[in-house]
Amino acid sequence: MTHDPPAPGGSTPRPLYGEELAPGARVGGFLVEEVRHRGVVAVLYRARDERSGASVALKVMRPQYASSENALRRFEQECRTLEQLAHPHIVRVLESGELRDGRPWLAMEWLEGRDLEAELAARGPFPPREALRVLEPVAAALGAAHALGIVHRDIKAQNVMVRPGAGGAPHVTLVDFGIAKLLDPGHRSLALTSTGVTVGTPVAMAPEQILGAPVDARTDLYGLGVLLHQLLTGRLPFSAGSQAELEELHLHAPPPSPSHLAPVPTALDAVVKRCLAKRPEDRYPDTAALMEDLRRALEPSAGPGGRTRGLGLYLCARPEAGEDADDDALDALDRVLDAAREGLSRCGLALMVEGADFLLAATPLPPDASASRARRREVLEALDALWPELERHVAGAGIHLEATLHLAEAVVEPDASGAPRVVDGPLLRESGWTRGAGRPGVFVPPEVLEGLTTR
């Protein structure tokens, strides 16, 4: 066993190659820096390439599985799978090998960013067209895999990495082909597991996976449907208190309609429900057909649609710094958000995204300059009247209440009555808004006040 050099003062050196690799362990041409994720069969480390100095993701099998023929074959299959899949939206493999004790390892590109699950937790649901921009590269990656007879079998938000890309567009990468299944040219399953063994993640498993039946590319289409529903609504289509209950829902329960849970076009309901069909033959045949239908569902309807300027409001209510969120505070939080929803509706601002402690609402502005000024003044006056009511709901509860207005381009479509409503566009990219530095009250940037002489 290799050890670190003796520590100053004669203390006992720490082994580098135990159950987990310690910082400083050398694997091929890579030096381990830290553990980043502990999986059941393997551990993922952040390491440094000694030749280039670049960070790499190093996946090393746990020692207790190194004698398992099935585990070894699965790990080797992941290496071979990634080596075949040279695609801009699939994690890139750099090198693979074995430790001296027989444990296989796999070095991959290091993806600096966060997965979609963390992204959703931080910002809430995605506007429909932004969800499309995220799903397109995932579907393209899966299409490339399916063309080579490879089924991922574990499509979920945690396996999609999102990084800042050129021009502000996200760069999306599909990761973790650890349970991918190779198919023969006729797309019949070549199993590495015994018949009847369930492989996958319960929150996104297709019915055939739960039943241990053969899988094919349409199994990944089910996972894409789960992911699309989650992007649009901020929640999974099915949730339960136990794995058995969750599996029953995937097997038998009809999927919910996204439009019942979020302000999205009703045409998206049919897309999600076809992806989540219980029988593979009732789903889309491939990713290309799914994406064609998804784009069509997001095409603006006839009527007063297109692009215009819009006004958005982000309202946040959370415990003051250093305050515990006790029952009184949580009750106050519920009251103020309920009052805000009702008040913003009276102001004519439609609720777009909702979280545990925030609301994002928006309204289109008329293209005529005079009408736009009148509409902005109307919203400001309504907020001036609403704000004291909201403050009364949180008085003495240790809740910090603030709001920000923002003016930007918006994509609009007609609602059921034919009136324009905001559905997407820069206006809904709340992360790019100008903030009020945490001051209480409503922060109104200069562009919102442009042309208004009084408030």
Side-chain angles (χ1 to χ4, degrees):
M1 180 178 289
T2 304
H3 294 79
D4 285 322
S11 59
T12 304
R14 183 172 50 157
L16 294 175
Y17 299 92
E19 163 79 17
E20 290 184 357
L21 306 183
R26 180 177 282 105
V27 177
F30 310 101
L31 283 178
V32 171
E33 293 183 337
E34 61 177 337
V35 174
R36 293 305 293 262
H37 177 70
R38 293 177 174 88
V40 175
V41 177
V43 179
L44 185 69
Y45 302 87
R46 179 170 180 151
R48 178 170 50 84
D49 189 328
E50 292 185 285
R51 295 150 291 194
S52 67
S55 293
V56 300
L58 188 67
K59 189 173 185 177
V60 183
M61 179 175 281
R62 291 184 179 275
Q64 61 266 39
Y65 291 98
S67 59
S68 166
E69 182 179 345
N70 195 50
L72 285 169
R73 282 198 296 164
R74 190 172 299 285
F75 197 97
E76 290 165 2
Q77 177 182 297
E78 181 177 10
C79 297
R80 294 197 308 273
T81 298
L82 288 174
E83 286 167 354
Q84 292 180 68
L85 292 172
H87 190 276
H89 296 292
I90 294 177
V91 64
R92 182 166 51 95
V93 66
L94 304 174
E95 198 175 324
S96 61
E98 286 186 0
L99 298 181
R100 285 172 296 180
D101 61 6
R103 279 184 279 173
W105 56 267
L106 173 65
M108 298 166 285
E109 63 176 319
W110 180 260
L111 301 174
E112 197 67 58
R114 58 187 178 188
D115 63 45
L116 265 184
E117 184 176 56
E119 190 78 9
L120 281 161
R123 52 161 290 176
F126 284 51
R129 283 177 179 77
E130 193 171 349
L132 172 65
R133 285 192 289 273
V134 170
L135 211 64
E136 280 182 323
V138 178
L142 284 174
H146 295 164
L148 294 173
I150 297 166
V151 182
H152 189 284
R153 294 202 298 175
D154 201 17
I155 301 301
K156 58 183 179 181
Q158 298 97 313
N159 285 339
V160 179
M161 295 294 296
V162 182
R163 295 172 289 160
H171 187 82
V172 177
T173 306
L174 181 61
V175 302
D176 200 351
F177 280 76
I179 63 169
K181 183 179 284 289
L182 299 176
L183 307 174
D184 71 6
H187 283 199
R188 293 187 302 274
S189 176
L190 295 177
L192 280 183
T193 52
S194 302
T195 302
V197 173
T198 299
V199 178
T201 301
V203 296
M205 277 201 300
E208 62 269 24
Q209 288 177 282
I210 294 170
L211 297 172
V215 303
D216 60 25
R218 294 168 298 182
T219 301
D220 286 342
L221 270 293
Y222 190 94
L224 281 177
V226 171
L227 185 59
L228 177 57
H229 186 281
Q230 194 174 2
L231 286 169
L232 294 171
T233 68
R235 64 184 78 177
L236 293 161
F238 303 115
S239 59
S242 70
Q243 180 171 335
E245 292 173 326
L246 184 58
E247 289 177 353
E248 280 297 309
L249 292 173
H250 279 288
L251 287 171
H252 303 297
S257 299
S259 67
H260 294 173
L261 303 169
V264 302
T266 55
L268 289 172
D269 295 343
V271 177
V272 171
K273 288 184 177 182
R274 186 172 176 185
C275 287
L276 297 181
K278 307 304 180 186
R279 302 192 310 162
E281 56 267 32
D282 293 332
R283 298 176 205 147
Y284 290 99
D286 50 42
T287 57
L290 161 62
M291 298 312 295
E292 182 180 351
D293 248 16
L294 181 55
R295 295 185 193 100
R296 187 181 298 116
L298 291 174
E299 288 176 357
S301 308
R307 290 180 176 268
T308 186
R309 292 207 304 174
L311 188 62
L313 175 78
Y314 179 85
L315 183 143
C316 170
R318 52 178 59 109
E320 299 276 4
E323 294 286 337
D324 292 329
D326 56 19
D327 289 343
D328 289 341
L330 294 175
D331 287 344
L333 184 61
D334 288 340
R335 288 196 304 272
V336 75
L337 291 179
D338 286 343
R341 286 188 208 95
E342 184 180 342
L344 293 176
S345 177
R346 292 198 304 267
C347 298
L349 276 79
L351 186 63
M352 305 303 300
V353 181
E354 179 178 0
D357 58 6
F358 74 90
L359 301 172
L360 175 61
T363 183
L365 293 174
D368 176 75
S370 176
S372 173
R373 287 194 298 271
R375 177 68 180 123
R376 281 181 280 141
R377 184 179 292 109
E378 178 185 14
V379 170
L380 289 169
E381 290 173 352
L383 285 174
D384 282 342
L386 173 64
W387 198 256
E389 176 190 347
L390 300 182
E391 289 182 318
R392 284 194 296 272
H393 284 293
V394 299
I399 297 291
H400 175 79
L401 185 65
E402 64 177 277
T404 300
L405 280 166
H406 184 66
L407 191 149
E409 183 183 68
V411 176
V412 298
E413 290 182 0
D415 62 15
S417 68
R421 61 168 184 167
V422 175
V423 295
D424 200 2
L427 179 65
L428 302 186
R429 314 291 190 272
E430 177 268 329
S431 58
W433 290 21
T434 302
R435 294 296 188 188
R439 294 191 298 268
V442 181
F443 174 70
V444 185
E447 58 268 24
V448 174
L449 296 171
E450 182 182 357
L452 304 183
T453 55
T454 61
R455 268 194 67 184

